Structure formats: C-alpha cells, structure tokens
Amino acid sequence: ELYDKFMCYCKNGGSDLTTSISAAEAKVPAVSSDIEAAEAKLSQTKEDLKQAQTDGVAAKESMAEATALREKEASAFAAEKAEADTNIAALKKAVAALERGMSGGFLQTDAAQILRRLVQNKQEMIDMDRQEILAFLSGTQSSGDGYAPASGEITGILKEMSDTMEKSLADATEAEEASIKSYEEMMSAKSKEVEALGSAIEAKTTQIGELGVSIVQMKEDLDDTQKGLLANKKFLKELETSCA
C-alpha cells in the first residue's frame, strides 16, 4: 500500500512539477519582453518630459521678450503721440490766431515757443518756408495792429504741416493698434502652449513614476519565477531519481 501511494505521488507530483515548469518557462521570456518594452517606454517618456520642459521654458522666454518689446514700443508711441499732439495743437492755435488777425497775441503764448522749436528742428522742411515761419514768430512780418502781409502764405504752410503731422500720427496709431493686436494674439497662443506643456509635464512625470514602479514589480516577479523554475527543475530531477 505504501508503495502504491509512493508511486501515485511520483506520478502526480511529477506531473504538477512539469506543468509548473512549463508555465514558468513560458512566463520568463514574456515578462522579460514586458520589462524591455516598459524600459524603452520609460526612456522615451523621460525624453518627452525633457523636451516638454525645454519647450515650456522657451515659450515663457518668448512671452517675456515679446512683453519687453511691446512695452518698449508702447513707450515710444506714447512719447511720439504726446509730442505730435503738442505740436499739432500749437499749429492749430497759430492758424486760428492768423485767421482771426490776432497773431500778435499768439506770439506771446507757450504754443508759439513750441512752434518755434518745431520749425527749427524740422529737417525735412523747405528752408524758405522755415524762414517765413520764423520771421512770423519773431514778429518781423507783423505791424502793430497784428496784420501780417504774408499771413495767408504762412497759414497755408502751417495747415500743411498740421495735416502732414496728423496723417503721420494716424499712421503711427494704426501701426500701434496692429502691434497690440499681434502681441495679444501671440500671448494668447503662447499662454495656451504653456498651459498644454504644463499638463503634459505633469502627466509624463506621473507616467514615469508609474512605469518605474511597474518595472520594479516585473523584475521582482521575473526573479521569483526564475528562482522557482530552478527549484522545480531540481526537485523534479530528484523526484525522477527517487521514483526510478
């Protein structure tokens, strides 16, 4: 009876060990392949994370540079507009005074001094026109009652200067508005890019952590399977020897 039980054990035990060994031998290469794939994915994810971080920094730098440029342009336009507004106002006051026959009073105003500086510094102005205006501003063309013999010609010059300056200011204003629109569109696009990259960085960081844990677990599983396989093979050999 004991012999029969022993032979039954030999038969069943050997069968169970063979099944376990076959399963382990199939599992080892499968787990090894999974580990290799996971490590490749981990490496690629780390590269993707690095690129996303680089792109995020570059996008923020672009935004900072664009903002600095926009502030510089806005400051330059504000100064240009302030000067243009002042000069145009002075020109209009001069024209109004000439048309009312009150040029003498105008010559005593701050606007007259502004107009003098404008004419003196305006390089593209015809020299004859410059001299006409400076003569007017110095009062050499006016009689005591404020009548100016060349007032019609001077008024025409001043109006032309005013129109030209208003046109230049309008063009500068249009360019400034276009620049503002372009800046706002660029900042909107970059903000969305930075937000998307931030989400990608967060997701990839999480993925890297999960992959790392998964790889450790698979390696432990592989190690346990290989050790179990070796032990089962040894035990099966011993069993075959004992049951022979």
Side-chain angles (χ1 to χ4, degrees):
E1 183 180 350
L2 288 173
Y3 176 77
D4 290 341
K5 288 182 178 179
F6 177 71
M7 292 307 294
C8 181
Y9 169 75
C10 285
K11 181 180 179 181
N12 293 334
S15 177
D16 291 342
L17 284 172
T18 300
T19 300
S20 295
I21 290 170
S22 295
E25 287 177 337
K27 182 178 180 180
V28 168
V31 175
S32 298
S33 178
D34 289 343
I35 291 172
E36 184 178 348
E39 287 179 335
K41 187 174 182 180
L42 177 61
S43 178
Q44 183 60 54
T45 303
K46 286 181 177 180
E47 287 296 320
D48 293 343
L49 173 60
K50 184 178 179 181
Q51 187 61 53
Q53 291 171 330
T54 299
D55 292 344
V57 170
K60 289 178 181 178
E61 288 178 348
S62 294
M63 293 173 73
E65 291 172 0
T67 298
L69 178 60
R70 177 85 288 276
E71 290 174 350
K72 183 178 180 180
E73 290 175 344
S75 178
F77 171 74
E80 180 183 357
K81 184 178 186 303
E83 182 180 4
D85 286 340
T86 298
N87 291 335
I88 291 170
L91 286 164
K92 289 185 178 297
K93 287 179 181 179
V95 170
L98 283 166
E99 290 178 340
R100 292 197 305 268
M102 299 174 62
S103 59
F106 170 77
L107 297 178
Q108 307 304 314
T109 66
D110 291 339
Q113 299 307 314
I114 293 171
L115 183 54
R116 182 187 300 277
R117 287 195 297 272
L118 171 63
V119 172
Q120 288 175 333
N121 297 326
K122 197 170 181 62
Q123 296 181 353
E124 66 273 20
M125 190 174 185
I126 298 174
D127 191 58
M128 183 178 296
D129 291 345
R130 189 195 317 278
Q131 296 307 318
E132 285 282 353
I133 302 301
L134 290 176
F136 157 66
L137 292 171
S138 67
T140 57
Q141 288 192 347
S142 300
S143 60
D145 59 2
Y147 172 71
S151 62
E153 182 180 348
I154 293 171
T155 299
I157 296 172
L158 295 177
K159 283 184 176 181
E160 183 179 353
M161 289 176 63
S162 178
D163 291 344
T164 300
M165 293 190 72
E166 286 181 329
K167 177 63 169 57
S168 295
L169 179 57
D171 291 343
T173 300
E174 183 178 352
E176 173 68 3
E177 291 172 350
S179 182
I180 291 172
K181 181 180 179 182
S182 176
Y183 167 75
E184 290 176 344
E185 290 175 347
M186 180 269 200
M187 291 298 285
S188 176
K190 285 294 180 182
S191 294
K192 291 178 181 177
E193 180 184 354
V194 168
E195 184 179 355
L197 287 168
S199 297
I201 288 169
E202 183 177 351
K204 291 182 187 303
T205 300
T206 299
Q207 188 178 17
I208 286 170
E210 293 173 346
L211 282 169
V213 171
S214 177
I215 290 169
V216 169
Q217 292 174 339
M218 285 190 290
K219 285 183 175 180
E220 289 176 349
D221 185 24
L222 177 62
D223 185 58
D224 291 342
T225 301
Q226 289 173 328
K227 288 179 179 178
L229 177 60
L230 290 174
N232 285 339
K233 284 184 175 180
K234 181 180 179 182
F235 187 39
L236 178 61
K237 186 175 182 181
E238 292 173 350
L239 184 63
E240 288 174 343
T241 301
S242 299
C243 296

